[in-house]
Amino acid sequence: RASQEAQTVSELRQKVAEIQVLSEQRAAAGSDMTEPALPKEGAFGLGREAMPEEVAAWDVDVLPDGRGLPEGRGDVFTGDEVFAEKCASCHGDFAEGVDNWPVLAGGFDTLGDKDPVKTVGSYWPYLSTVWDYVHRSMPFGEAQTLTADETYAIVAYILYSNDLVDDDFELSHENFAEFEMYNTDGFVIDDRPELEYSKWRTEPCMENCKPSVEITMRATFLDVTPEGGGESVMNDASAEDTPTFVANAPASNTPSDTASGTESVAVLSADIDPKLIASGQKVFRKCQACHDVGAGAKNKSGPQLNGLIGRPMGSVESFNYSKVFKTAHEEGRVWDEAALAEFLAKPKSFMKGTKMAFSGLRKEQDLDAITAYLKSVGD
Amino acid sequence: KEADPLITEVQEWASLTGAGVDETPYGLPISFEKDVVRRNVEWLTASPISSINFTPIHALDGTITPQGCAFERHHSGAIELRKEDYRLMINGLVDRPLVFNYPDLERFPRENHVYFCECAANTGMEWAGAQLNGAQFTHGMIHNMEYTGVPLRTLLKEAGLDAAGDLKNKWVYVEGADASSNGRSIPMEKALDDVLVAFKANGEALRMEHGYPVRLVVPGWEGNMWVKWLRRIEVTDMAVESREETSKYTDVYEDGTARKWTWVMDAKSVITSPSPQMPITHGQGPLVISGLAWSGHGKITRVDVSKDGGITWETARLGKQGDSKALTRFYLDTDWDGNPMLLQSRAMDETGYVQPTKNQLREVRGENAVYHNNCIQTWFVNENGVAENVEVS
């Protein structure tokens, strides 16, 4: 055993000596020891080959020359209907934009004005972008639910809203490439190197750079404190001599708060499964673009939903309901759980004429969950 | 004068015990620091789901932005994507289209770099004039983190670029797994340069709001290109001209023409203290003027500070040597005589570029460019040490 140990020791000594020689060589070579991670020219053998159906599922982008467009067609009339159902609650029936949501039509030749109006018609240089974006990312909150034909129809309608085509126009993969957008020549590639860099790469002035300086404008938004007051810890300076902009800070600022991003949930009924409420809160993400809940909830594109279960239909003051809800309100109809479940499963069937642009919750457990959640956010 | 009872009387914390080591497995700032949070401006956007919030740069020091208060910008909200569900596809003009899972990415050689990420719309509200009263709001669409990740070129070479032929006019289209997908086209030269596929920031996994588990890092270029929840990389022969690089992130000039492919963030700086949210409360005497400078073209080499609105300038000292395409901290150790000041900072980078004034920028671009406002910022500080966002002649 002693001789074995002696052998191990001498082997280790030799190894150490070899390593030291290599280290000295590296240090002598003058490298700073922080080499970049050099690839072995694709020799890693990591990852697996993508299957054609996988590529087809994810590679849906459309290039400006039309490559990537699937077969399909849609005309302005169909587009009018699809748009009204799926887009108008945010973009307006005539693509004019509701509240702060984007306006899609109009604004031609305003780009040089004091307040340019940039719309699909007045600004977007390529039609492919419209198709690509609508198909992949719209409606907001329900992306990737439109068929190719629906997308062609919507795009045709957007063009029509911009007076770029007549009402008998049909858009398809066949005539797509012919279409040229109004502002297709309105773009120049970044020319800051020519227009700016050469001018501003000079030794700057250090003294007597100007004869005098005066304040030409003071801050527009000086002191906007949210409702209920927002205390900003600012080294004990008082509110009076501290012009401050304090935006809507989160309801609770303490670091131990574990709110997941939407309003904190007050569980009213002890027998609703808290897990169901939590999963309902997730389902509510499909709704929160248009609906608010919780303390201080405001109407948005849709009415606030505090205390919805048991609430009369169409009853939120100051919300401009569609006719079907106004009628329901007059008839004294109430949101019980059954009505809500039917509505959320198929909104346009249960309340024909509703402005709510949502195709419906397909899963039973989602309906249960969202009901539990809405019950828990009472007023 | 009386002796300070905080010293002469035994205080609670000097006698009682405090929290144990098992109290908080993941610590957050102490409650006294509750001012140091992200904030958002409600009226900026139609919904907070497609919106932005602001880093509290007024209250931070050094250069690294803690993830918890680093700004977020989403186009369809921050999604929850588990590492087990994560897939990254490379397709297009490559020899073999590939799919990676998360463990695959950790098996490639990785690098660490500190880079700033700035939204192109940072300071965008200020084109029309002095608007928002706080450095957090005028300049807070920025953060600076140390990223750990695999160079994009490693992954591209794994898929093989022979099929792409001459790489000179080729592009890489990157998109995310979220609903907005946020697809952007990157010229091949940049893609093969310093672009990183990152999975850690400041030592830990990316936060959900910063693209967990994987995001793209495009050093020195506008934040919108730093695709979060990265799901696909496609080699193409032309720019896709997606919504985010045509209708948005293009700059309209005064004559109505627009600039596209405005990728790089020019040199910029701002004084974070004193500033509207950080008044001088200690009175006359020694004063530290502190701020940040950065450039998408490389290293910041110098920052000058003016106390009189640009008539005279002094050169500040840098906290440490400027890192390329990263935030640099500057300090001017000065003396305050109690008189009003007009504070400005002016950055220079290694190309010799000098940060322009707002007037210089407006002369070239007009007021409607929205993006890439890297002008010199002015804070008016009154005799009480209170600061306000102003414009000067």
Side-chain angles (χ1 to χ4, degrees):
Chain A
R1 201 170 46 159
S3 76
Q4 222 177 7
E5 275 184 19
Q7 178 158 6
T8 316
V9 165
S10 91
E11 277 172 18
L12 285 172
R13 282 213 177 110
Q14 176 150 13
K15 238 188 194 154
V16 167
E18 282 170 19
I19 292 170
Q20 281 177 335
V21 164
L22 281 173
S23 300
E24 276 164 38
Q25 282 177 354
R26 269 180 82 195
S31 88
D32 67 356
M33 310 301 247
T34 60
E35 302 155 3
L38 293 169
K40 290 184 287 187
E41 295 302 318
F44 294 98
L46 291 169
R48 60 154 176 89
E49 196 138 343
M51 298 168 65
E53 49 268 55
E54 291 172 334
V55 175
W58 278 9
D59 185 354
V60 295
D61 58 82
V62 181
L63 294 169
D65 55 15
R67 280 179 290 161
L69 271 178
E71 285 189 9
R73 59 194 68 250
D75 60 41
V76 171
F77 274 120
T78 312
D80 192 339
E81 285 170 13
V82 180
F83 194 89
E85 196 190 310
K86 307 207 174 201
C87 322
S89 61
C90 294
H91 291 292
D93 282 304
F94 306 104
E96 78 276 17
V98 174
D99 300 327
N100 257 354
W101 300 105
V103 49
L104 305 179
F108 285 82
D109 301 319
T110 64
L111 300 180
D113 292 357
K114 189 170 187 312
D115 292 307
V117 177
K118 297 192 275 196
T119 73
V120 173
S122 69
Y123 192 63
W124 293 36
Y126 305 105
L127 190 60
S128 55
T129 315
V130 189
W131 205 99
D132 175 78
Y133 184 69
V134 170
H135 181 246
R136 173 64 181 82
S137 300
M138 286 286 121
F140 191 62
E142 275 196 292
Q144 299 196 85
T145 58
L146 296 170
T147 65
D149 285 345
E150 283 173 329
T151 310
Y152 281 108
I154 289 171
V155 176
Y157 182 72
I158 292 174
L159 291 176
Y160 170 73
S161 307
N162 278 290
D163 283 321
L164 291 170
V165 298
D166 293 325
D167 64 8
D168 59 355
F169 179 73
E170 183 193 68
L171 184 67
S172 76
H173 61 283
E174 282 152 355
N175 64 0
F176 199 94
E178 294 160 18
F179 197 92
E180 210 180 66
M181 298 291 272
Y182 187 78
N183 197 41
T184 199
D185 293 326
F187 291 79
V188 174
I189 296 175
D190 188 8
D191 53 3
R192 284 176 291 171
E194 292 81 37
L195 294 186
E196 296 175 12
Y197 297 168
S198 41
K199 276 208 286 210
W200 299 337
R201 282 178 184 155
T202 55
E203 192 56 41
C205 171
M206 297 300 281
E207 295 193 312
N208 297 316
C209 302
K210 332 186 225 195
S212 66
V213 168
E214 44 172 46
I215 295 176
T216 55
M217 183 173 176
R218 299 183 59 169
T220 305
F221 300 100
L222 268 183
D223 188 34
V224 180
T225 32
E227 272 173 37
E231 258 196 292
S232 176
V233 175
M234 288 177 50
N235 300 325
D236 297 304
S238 79
E240 260 105 21
D241 38 37
T242 308
T244 303
F245 183 92
V246 180
N248 255 322
S252 167
N253 267 346
T254 55
S256 57
D257 192 57
T258 50
S260 62
T262 53
E263 309 302 319
S264 58
V265 169
V267 179
L268 292 179
S269 144
D271 53 22
I272 300 181
D273 176 9
K275 280 217 205 98
L276 193 61
I277 295 176
S279 114
Q281 191 172 25
K282 283 202 177 140
V283 175
F284 191 74
R285 287 203 194 137
K286 294 182 204 269
C287 323
Q288 68 185 15
C290 301
H291 291 286
D292 220 355
V293 288
K298 302 198 188 90
N299 294 333
K300 303 199 286 197
S301 303
Q304 52 89 350
L305 299 179
N306 284 334
L308 182 71
I309 314 288
R311 192 170 90 180
M313 292 188 185
S315 62
V316 173
E317 274 183 42
S318 75
F319 184 75
N320 186 18
Y321 285 98
S322 57
K323 201 155 111 187
V324 61
F325 276 107
K326 287 190 176 139
T327 309
H329 184 71
E330 282 157 27
E331 290 170 353
R333 290 173 70 185
V334 171
W335 282 117
D336 56 24
E337 285 188 44
L340 182 65
E342 243 192 280
F343 179 62
L344 290 180
K346 282 196 165 138
K348 307 262 178 193
S349 303
F350 186 68
M351 296 298 276
K352 214 159 148 41
T354 175
K355 287 189 286 181
M356 185 167 99
F358 182 61
S359 56
L361 289 172
R362 273 162 264 291
K363 300 188 209 155
E364 190 72 43
Q365 66 245 42
D366 283 351
L367 288 166
D368 291 338
I370 192 76
T371 307
Y373 175 67
L374 288 173
K375 266 189 186 167
S376 72
V377 283
D379 21 21
Chain B
K1 274 180 74 172
E2 283 188 9
D4 188 347
L6 280 170
I7 299 174
T8 56
E9 288 172 19
V10 174
Q11 301 296 318
E12 197 176 77
W13 54 80
S15 173
L16 307 176
T17 57
V21 298
D22 52 353
E23 193 86 10
T24 43
Y26 195 98
L28 287 174
I30 199 167
S31 61
F32 313 135
E33 294 296 303
K34 64 177 166 52
D35 176 55
V36 189
V37 289
R38 295 186 276 235
R39 292 186 167 87
N40 69 306
V41 177
E42 239 184 53
W43 47 258
L44 257 187
T45 52
S47 157
I49 294 169
S50 178
S51 192
I52 194 163
N53 56 32
F54 301 82
T55 308
I57 59 170
H58 63 289
L60 298 175
D61 210 327
T63 58
I64 295 292
T65 313
Q67 270 115 293
C69 60
F71 87 99
E72 324 163 42
R73 198 306 190 218
H74 311 307
H75 293 259
S76 56
I79 60 169
E80 288 178 354
L81 177 56
R82 303 184 318 160
K83 284 176 179 171
E84 299 89 335
D85 298 338
Y86 178 77
R87 301 289 180 270
L88 176 61
M89 179 186 289
I90 302 188
N91 75 305
L93 299 170
V94 292
D95 300 344
R96 289 190 316 145
L98 296 175
V99 171
F100 300 109
N101 57 24
Y102 181 84
D104 290 333
L105 295 180
E106 289 191 335
R107 297 169 66 186
F108 287 101
R110 62 185 87 132
E111 298 182 7
N112 298 311
H113 297 276
V114 179
Y115 291 125
F116 76 83
C117 175
E118 183 184 15
C119 175
N122 198 18
T123 322
M125 290 86 78
E126 303 289 305
W127 274 109
Q131 301 278 323
L132 297 171
N133 205 33
Q136 178 169 19
F137 304 103
T138 56
H139 290 75
M141 298 182 193
I142 191 164
H143 57 58
N144 194 56
M145 303 190 192
E146 184 201 48
Y147 295 99
T148 301
V150 179
L152 177 59
R153 64 176 173 276
T154 305
L155 300 179
L156 288 171
K157 287 176 179 171
E158 186 73 8
L161 288 175
D162 289 339
D166 178 6
L167 295 178
K168 206 157 51 116
N169 294 314
K170 297 297 184 300
W171 295 75
V172 167
Y173 183 64
V174 288
E175 65 174 33
D178 63 323
S180 80
S181 96
N182 199 52
R184 287 293 303 253
S185 310
I186 304 176
M188 182 60 81
E189 194 188 309
K190 178 67 172 178
L192 293 175
D193 184 17
D194 54 5
V195 177
L196 269 186
V197 174
F199 40 81
K200 291 244 184 350
N202 296 349
E204 61 178 12
L206 293 163
R207 293 292 169 92
M208 175 184 88
E209 64 262 33
H210 297 130
Y212 179 97
V214 178
R215 84 167 307 161
L216 200 65
V217 170
V218 191
W221 289 22
E222 58 192 20
N224 180 253
M225 304 178 83
W226 295 44
V227 173
K228 301 195 294 240
W229 316 291
L230 181 70
R231 89 162 182 182
R232 192 168 69 93
I233 299 161
E234 181 185 351
V235 179
T236 62
D237 57 17
M238 68 189 306
V240 170
E241 303 289 17
S242 67
R243 186 248 192 188
E244 305 302 344
E245 52 202 6
T246 53
S247 92
K248 301 291 175 188
Y249 301 101
T250 51
D251 314 35
V252 175
Y253 280 31
E254 201 159 34
D255 64 356
T257 62
R259 296 305 181 269
K260 69 174 189 177
W261 300 355
T262 51
W263 299 308
V264 68
M265 304 305 291
D266 289 326
K268 192 168 170 181
S269 70
V270 64
I271 291 172
T272 52
S273 175
S275 66
Q277 294 159 289
M278 295 291 279
I280 304 171
T281 53
H282 52 60
Q284 296 177 36
L287 167 70
V288 175
I289 298 175
S290 169
L292 291 165
W294 60 95
S295 172
H297 291 281
K299 302 181 191 174
I300 289 291
T301 49
R302 181 173 127 197
V303 181
D304 300 328
V305 172
S306 172
K307 296 193 280 189
D308 55 16
I311 301 174
T312 33
W313 296 85
E314 298 168 70
T315 299
R317 67 180 171 91
L318 302 182
K320 54 181 225 225
Q321 194 67 262
D323 280 336
S324 179
K325 304 171 191 174
L327 286 187
T328 302
R329 174 66 60 178
F330 67 86
Y331 299 109
L332 186 73
D333 307 301
T334 188
D335 225 82
W336 188 38
D337 58 8
N339 286 322
M341 300 185 283
L342 283 167
L343 297 180
Q344 297 184 333
S345 65
R346 175 178 70 192
M348 287 172 69
D349 70 18
E350 61 177 277
T351 69
Y353 177 98
V354 179
Q355 182 179 7
T357 65
K358 208 181 264 190
N359 289 332
Q360 281 177 298
L361 269 178
R362 282 179 179 146
E363 243 176 66
V364 181
R365 305 194 201 160
E367 280 185 7
N368 293 319
V370 179
Y371 307 102
H372 295 285
N373 184 356
N374 65 318
C375 72
I376 290 174
Q377 171 65 38
T378 311
W379 307 122
F380 169 63
V381 181
N382 69 14
E383 303 87 349
N384 297 322
V386 170
E388 186 184 318
N389 177 12
V390 297
E391 280 191 12
V392 294
S393 57

